[in-house]
Amino acid sequence: MKTKTIPAIIMLLAGFIACLAGINAHMEVAEFMKMLFIVLIIFYILGCIVKAIIDKNFAEMQEEETTDGEENEGEETARTDEEETAEAEDEE
């Protein structure tokens, strides 16, 4: 899964909401810029944390799928060997 853009999307969404709140509150420019800068930094860090959690969970899911796939292949091979043995006995 492509998660590279998650921190930026979260940060920009929070910045947009902060801009709307600042416009609605009629904030002064210096105060607004300080607030916006802090919001962008905080939400970028939160976005990085979310990205790390998602990457970790998807990595674990892929490992489980790989492990399950190997077990299923082993079972299919065992069944095939048993079937071949049964067929060889039937031919005799």
Side-chain angles (χ1 to χ4, degrees):
M1 180 177 181
K2 296 181 182 180
T3 58
K4 184 177 180 180
T5 59
I6 289 177
I9 291 171
I10 291 174
M11 177 185 71
L12 291 174
L13 184 62
F16 177 71
I17 293 170
C19 287
L20 293 178
I23 290 170
N24 192 31
H26 303 288
M27 295 177 72
E28 293 184 19
V29 175
E31 183 183 345
F32 171 73
M33 293 300 287
K34 194 182 303 183
M35 185 254 328
L36 181 63
F37 183 70
I38 292 169
V39 166
L40 291 177
I41 290 174
I42 290 171
F43 279 92
Y44 182 75
I45 293 169
L46 289 174
C48 289
I49 293 170
V50 169
K51 177 187 176 296
I53 291 170
I54 291 173
D55 286 341
K56 181 180 177 184
N57 287 334
F58 275 108
E60 289 177 1
M61 287 176 58
Q62 289 175 352
E63 287 176 6
E64 288 176 4
E65 289 175 3
T66 304
T67 305
D68 291 344
E70 291 173 359
E71 289 175 2
N72 290 337
E73 289 174 5
E75 291 175 5
E76 290 174 6
T77 305
R79 290 179 187 163
T80 306
D81 291 340
E82 291 173 3
E83 291 171 359
E84 289 176 3
T85 305
E87 289 176 5
E89 290 175 359
D90 289 339
E91 291 176 0
E92 294 176 3

